[in-house]
Amino acid sequence: MRTILTYGTFDLLHIGHVRLLERARQLGDELIVGVSSDAFNEGKGKRSIIRYEHRAAIVEAIGHVSQIFPEEAWDQKEKDITRFGVDALVMGNDWEGKFDHLKPLCDVHYLPRTSGISTTQLKMALSPFSPEKIDELQEGLTTLQNIVRQLSA
Ligand code: C2G
């Protein structure tokens, strides 16, 4: 039984997350996922839209995932690798080299990220202050100003 481990926030779960979990699972027989707690994310300077309990339940519901647990600190990985008898840690290549210090404990793989999608991008698209929304507002304002100018002419 080859056990694979990965970590993530998985906020606003998208195809990039699903593809990462899918490819990680293909490298072994079971996939265990450390889902970042809300407090840990604050420490990462990240504020999740979806709270931990729901993000964890969503990740756990994905067929590729055998087990989830909370990620609460950067230095828990060594303990997690031993606790779960992990054979390989798998992360997206935005973390390239960051977990090489764990290589004495297990294999470490960095997989190419899925391009063109990110939680940050989704957050921006959903935000009322996205560049697109501001352009729309600007256009509307210009139209209004023209109408007022014509009415007062
Ligand atoms: N990912 C990907 N393609 C994307 C977006 C994300 O392959 N377009 C991968 C990331 O590389 C990561 C995983 O999906 O391996 C989860 O990404 P995040 O939710 O952004 O996780 P992150 O905040 O990077 O947390 O201790 C490690 C951290 O918990 C990792």
Side-chain angles (χ1 to χ4, degrees):
M1 180 72 128
R2 190 168 166 75
T3 300
I4 310 296
L5 174 66
T6 192
Y7 295 85
T9 304
F10 302 107
D11 191 24
L12 301 179
L13 196 96
H14 54 68
I15 193 64
H17 297 140
V18 173
R19 290 271 178 273
L20 189 280
L21 295 170
E22 200 172 44
R23 287 174 291 154
R25 173 64 183 77
Q26 282 160 3
L27 294 173
D29 305 299
E30 66 168 354
L31 174 62
I32 299 177
V33 183
V35 178
S36 307
S37 69
D38 295 327
F40 182 53
N41 269 332
E42 302 269 339
K44 282 193 221 172
K46 276 189 171 188
R47 179 182 289 276
S48 304
I49 303 274
I50 301 177
R51 68 174 199 267
Y52 170 78
E53 291 73 19
H54 292 177
R55 288 183 286 112
I58 291 166
V59 169
E60 193 167 29
I62 295 175
H64 311 304
V65 176
S66 318
Q67 190 179 345
I68 57 113
F69 63 96
E71 180 188 23
E72 294 164 309
W74 289 109
D75 60 4
Q76 72 177 67
K77 291 184 175 67
E78 285 83 351
K79 280 196 238 70
D80 297 338
I81 290 166
T82 311
R83 172 160 73 114
F84 294 112
V86 169
D87 298 289
L89 170 68
V90 175
M91 296 296 298
N93 61 3
D94 48 327
W95 292 93
E96 189 81 38
K98 298 282 187 323
F99 302 120
D100 286 359
H101 63 287
L102 299 168
K103 285 188 174 175
L105 300 173
C106 67
D107 298 346
V108 178
H109 303 287
Y110 303 101
L111 303 180
R113 279 170 65 88
T114 300
S115 59
I117 183 74
S118 74
T119 300
T120 308
Q121 194 188 333
L122 291 174
K123 282 182 181 172
M124 184 51 94
L126 294 167
S127 154
F129 301 105
S130 70
E132 293 77 20
K133 296 269 173 25
I134 291 171
D135 289 349
E136 277 168 33
L137 286 169
Q138 192 62 53
E139 268 168 44
L141 196 59
T142 311
T143 310
L144 277 175
Q145 283 164 334
N146 291 340
I147 292 168
V148 169
R149 204 171 294 119
Q150 281 161 15
L151 289 174
S152 50

mmCIF file of all heavy atoms in Angstrom, residues 1 14 18 25 38-39 43 46 49 54 64 71 81 92 95 106 133 148 150-151:
data_model
loop_
_atom_site.group_PDB
_atom_site.id
_atom_site.type_symbol
_atom_site.label_atom_id
_atom_site.label_comp_id
_atom_site.label_asym_id
_atom_site.label_seq_id
_atom_site.Cartn_x
_atom_site.Cartn_y
_atom_site.Cartn_z
ATOM 1 N N MET A 1 0.869 -1.183 0.000
ATOM 2 C CA MET A 1 0.000 0.000 0.000
ATOM 3 C C MET A 1 0.905 1.233 0.000
ATOM 4 O O MET A 1 1.655 1.464 0.944
ATOM 5 C CB MET A 1 -0.865 -0.037 1.275
ATOM 6 C CG MET A 1 -1.804 1.111 1.415
ATOM 7 S SD MET A 1 -3.168 0.984 0.251
ATOM 8 C CE MET A 1 -4.537 1.163 1.384
ATOM 9 N N HIS A 14 -11.560 24.359 -7.280
ATOM 10 C CA HIS A 14 -11.648 24.479 -8.737
ATOM 11 C C HIS A 14 -10.885 23.350 -9.412
ATOM 12 O O HIS A 14 -10.275 22.517 -8.747
ATOM 13 C CB HIS A 14 -11.127 25.848 -9.187
ATOM 14 C CG HIS A 14 -9.751 26.169 -8.693
ATOM 15 N ND1 HIS A 14 -8.634 25.495 -9.131
ATOM 16 C CD2 HIS A 14 -9.312 27.082 -7.784
ATOM 17 C CE1 HIS A 14 -7.571 25.997 -8.549
ATOM 18 N NE2 HIS A 14 -7.949 26.957 -7.704
ATOM 19 N N VAL A 18 -8.665 19.873 -8.207
ATOM 20 C CA VAL A 18 -9.120 18.508 -8.519
ATOM 21 C C VAL A 18 -8.058 17.758 -9.323
ATOM 22 O O VAL A 18 -7.739 16.604 -9.026
ATOM 23 C CB VAL A 18 -10.461 18.541 -9.285
ATOM 24 C CG1 VAL A 18 -10.853 17.147 -9.765
ATOM 25 C CG2 VAL A 18 -11.563 19.138 -8.404
ATOM 26 N N ARG A 25 -3.123 11.094 -6.422
ATOM 27 C CA ARG A 25 -3.691 9.762 -6.140
ATOM 28 C C ARG A 25 -3.108 8.697 -7.062
ATOM 29 O O ARG A 25 -2.884 7.555 -6.655
ATOM 30 C CB ARG A 25 -5.219 9.816 -6.259
ATOM 31 C CG ARG A 25 -5.944 8.480 -6.163
ATOM 32 C CD ARG A 25 -5.775 7.810 -4.811
ATOM 33 N NE ARG A 25 -6.440 6.505 -4.792
ATOM 34 C CZ ARG A 25 -5.953 5.408 -5.366
ATOM 35 N NH1 ARG A 25 -4.783 5.455 -5.998
ATOM 36 N NH2 ARG A 25 -6.614 4.252 -5.306
ATOM 37 N N ASP A 38 -8.483 27.479 9.345
ATOM 38 C CA ASP A 38 -8.691 28.918 9.127
ATOM 39 C C ASP A 38 -7.610 29.726 9.848
ATOM 40 O O ASP A 38 -7.067 30.692 9.298
ATOM 41 C CB ASP A 38 -10.095 29.316 9.596
ATOM 42 C CG ASP A 38 -11.181 28.640 8.756
ATOM 43 O OD1 ASP A 38 -10.933 28.433 7.549
ATOM 44 O OD2 ASP A 38 -12.239 28.276 9.324
ATOM 45 N N ALA A 39 -7.246 29.277 11.049
ATOM 46 C CA ALA A 39 -6.212 29.999 11.812
ATOM 47 C C ALA A 39 -4.859 29.907 11.094
ATOM 48 O O ALA A 39 -4.145 30.898 10.956
ATOM 49 C CB ALA A 39 -6.104 29.403 13.219
ATOM 50 N N GLY A 43 -2.338 32.861 9.259
ATOM 51 C CA GLY A 43 -0.876 32.952 9.392
ATOM 52 C C GLY A 43 -0.196 33.032 8.027
ATOM 53 O O GLY A 43 0.857 33.643 7.863
ATOM 54 N N LYS A 46 -3.711 34.465 4.281
ATOM 55 C CA LYS A 46 -4.843 34.107 3.406
ATOM 56 C C LYS A 46 -6.128 34.110 4.216
ATOM 57 O O LYS A 46 -6.160 33.570 5.306
ATOM 58 C CB LYS A 46 -4.671 32.669 2.884
ATOM 59 C CG LYS A 46 -3.815 32.504 1.674
ATOM 60 C CD LYS A 46 -3.934 31.054 1.151
ATOM 61 C CE LYS A 46 -3.271 30.920 -0.189
ATOM 62 N NZ LYS A 46 -3.515 29.629 -0.832
ATOM 63 N N ILE A 49 -12.688 32.119 1.798
ATOM 64 C CA ILE A 49 -14.110 32.447 1.646
ATOM 65 C C ILE A 49 -14.922 31.362 2.355
ATOM 66 O O ILE A 49 -15.892 31.647 3.045
ATOM 67 C CB ILE A 49 -14.498 32.459 0.135
ATOM 68 C CG1 ILE A 49 -13.620 33.444 -0.640
ATOM 69 C CG2 ILE A 49 -15.987 32.688 -0.039
ATOM 70 C CD1 ILE A 49 -14.109 34.870 -0.644
ATOM 71 N N HIS A 54 -16.212 23.199 6.009
ATOM 72 C CA HIS A 54 -16.804 22.957 4.687
ATOM 73 C C HIS A 54 -15.730 22.592 3.670
ATOM 74 O O HIS A 54 -15.913 21.680 2.859
ATOM 75 C CB HIS A 54 -17.597 24.183 4.225
ATOM 76 C CG HIS A 54 -18.831 24.429 5.041
ATOM 77 N ND1 HIS A 54 -19.662 25.507 4.833
ATOM 78 C CD2 HIS A 54 -19.360 23.743 6.098
ATOM 79 C CE1 HIS A 54 -20.656 25.466 5.710
ATOM 80 N NE2 HIS A 54 -20.496 24.418 6.482
ATOM 81 N N HIS A 64 -10.943 10.743 -5.053
ATOM 82 C CA HIS A 64 -9.502 10.425 -5.002
ATOM 83 C C HIS A 64 -8.958 10.419 -3.573
ATOM 84 O O HIS A 64 -7.861 9.927 -3.336
ATOM 85 C CB HIS A 64 -8.709 11.470 -5.806
ATOM 86 C CG HIS A 64 -9.256 11.724 -7.169
ATOM 87 N ND1 HIS A 64 -9.433 10.721 -8.096
ATOM 88 C CD2 HIS A 64 -9.714 12.858 -7.750
ATOM 89 C CE1 HIS A 64 -9.953 11.227 -9.205
ATOM 90 N NE2 HIS A 64 -10.138 12.528 -9.020
ATOM 91 N N GLU A 71 -4.471 20.912 8.804
ATOM 92 C CA GLU A 71 -3.087 21.416 8.799
ATOM 93 C C GLU A 71 -3.085 22.685 9.638
ATOM 94 O O GLU A 71 -3.770 23.646 9.306
ATOM 95 C CB GLU A 71 -2.611 21.732 7.379
ATOM 96 C CG GLU A 71 -1.180 22.263 7.351
ATOM 97 C CD GLU A 71 -0.741 22.771 5.995
ATOM 98 O OE1 GLU A 71 -1.623 23.135 5.177
ATOM 99 O OE2 GLU A 71 0.476 22.806 5.754
ATOM 100 N N ILE A 81 4.060 12.689 8.262
ATOM 101 C CA ILE A 81 4.663 11.668 7.394
ATOM 102 C C ILE A 81 4.882 10.376 8.187
ATOM 103 O O ILE A 81 4.565 9.273 7.722
ATOM 104 C CB ILE A 81 5.986 12.194 6.795
ATOM 105 C CG1 ILE A 81 5.693 13.292 5.762
ATOM 106 C CG2 ILE A 81 6.816 11.063 6.174
ATOM 107 C CD1 ILE A 81 6.899 14.103 5.344
ATOM 108 N N GLY A 92 1.933 21.064 -5.669
ATOM 109 C CA GLY A 92 2.039 21.772 -6.945
ATOM 110 C C GLY A 92 3.384 22.476 -7.028
ATOM 111 O O GLY A 92 4.003 22.777 -5.999
ATOM 112 N N TRP A 95 5.328 25.276 -5.099
ATOM 113 C CA TRP A 95 6.069 24.983 -3.869
ATOM 114 C C TRP A 95 7.421 24.328 -4.179
ATOM 115 O O TRP A 95 8.101 23.852 -3.270
ATOM 116 C CB TRP A 95 5.234 24.059 -2.975
ATOM 117 C CG TRP A 95 4.026 24.737 -2.437
ATOM 118 C CD1 TRP A 95 2.775 24.737 -2.977
ATOM 119 C CD2 TRP A 95 3.965 25.582 -1.296
ATOM 120 N NE1 TRP A 95 1.936 25.524 -2.235
ATOM 121 C CE2 TRP A 95 2.640 26.053 -1.188
ATOM 122 C CE3 TRP A 95 4.915 26.000 -0.356
ATOM 123 C CZ2 TRP A 95 2.228 26.910 -0.176
ATOM 124 C CZ3 TRP A 95 4.506 26.850 0.657
ATOM 125 C CH2 TRP A 95 3.177 27.297 0.746
ATOM 126 N N CYS A 106 10.565 10.715 3.020
ATOM 127 C CA CYS A 106 9.706 10.145 1.969
ATOM 128 C C CYS A 106 10.045 10.793 0.630
ATOM 129 O O CYS A 106 10.792 11.781 0.596
ATOM 130 C CB CYS A 106 8.226 10.389 2.297
ATOM 131 S SG CYS A 106 7.739 12.129 2.235
ATOM 132 N N LYS A 133 -15.484 45.170 -13.057
ATOM 133 C CA LYS A 133 -16.620 45.863 -12.425
ATOM 134 C C LYS A 133 -16.355 47.365 -12.391
ATOM 135 O O LYS A 133 -17.238 48.177 -12.664
ATOM 136 C CB LYS A 133 -16.838 45.346 -11.005
ATOM 137 C CG LYS A 133 -17.227 43.887 -10.931
ATOM 138 C CD LYS A 133 -18.713 43.696 -10.959
ATOM 139 C CE LYS A 133 -19.135 42.234 -11.047
ATOM 140 N NZ LYS A 133 -18.201 41.236 -10.549
ATOM 141 N N VAL A 148 -26.677 64.320 -17.971
ATOM 142 C CA VAL A 148 -26.852 65.536 -17.143
ATOM 143 C C VAL A 148 -26.405 66.769 -17.938
ATOM 144 O O VAL A 148 -27.094 67.790 -17.974
ATOM 145 C CB VAL A 148 -26.047 65.402 -15.827
ATOM 146 C CG1 VAL A 148 -26.004 66.737 -15.089
ATOM 147 C CG2 VAL A 148 -26.639 64.304 -14.960
ATOM 148 N N GLN A 150 -26.331 67.172 -21.175
ATOM 149 C CA GLN A 150 -27.295 67.478 -22.235
ATOM 150 C C GLN A 150 -28.550 68.134 -21.623
ATOM 151 O O GLN A 150 -29.042 69.130 -22.151
ATOM 152 C CB GLN A 150 -27.678 66.187 -22.966
ATOM 153 C CG GLN A 150 -26.610 65.734 -23.980
ATOM 154 C CD GLN A 150 -26.795 64.246 -24.317
ATOM 155 O OE1 GLN A 150 -27.857 63.670 -24.025
ATOM 156 N NE2 GLN A 150 -25.739 63.625 -24.812
ATOM 157 N N LEU A 151 -28.996 67.603 -20.488
ATOM 158 C CA LEU A 151 -30.224 68.138 -19.863
ATOM 159 C C LEU A 151 -30.012 69.569 -19.389
ATOM 160 O O LEU A 151 -30.928 70.414 -19.451
ATOM 161 C CB LEU A 151 -30.634 67.243 -18.700
ATOM 162 C CG LEU A 151 -31.181 65.858 -19.059
ATOM 163 C CD1 LEU A 151 -31.406 65.035 -17.814
ATOM 164 C CD2 LEU A 151 -32.474 65.995 -19.880
#
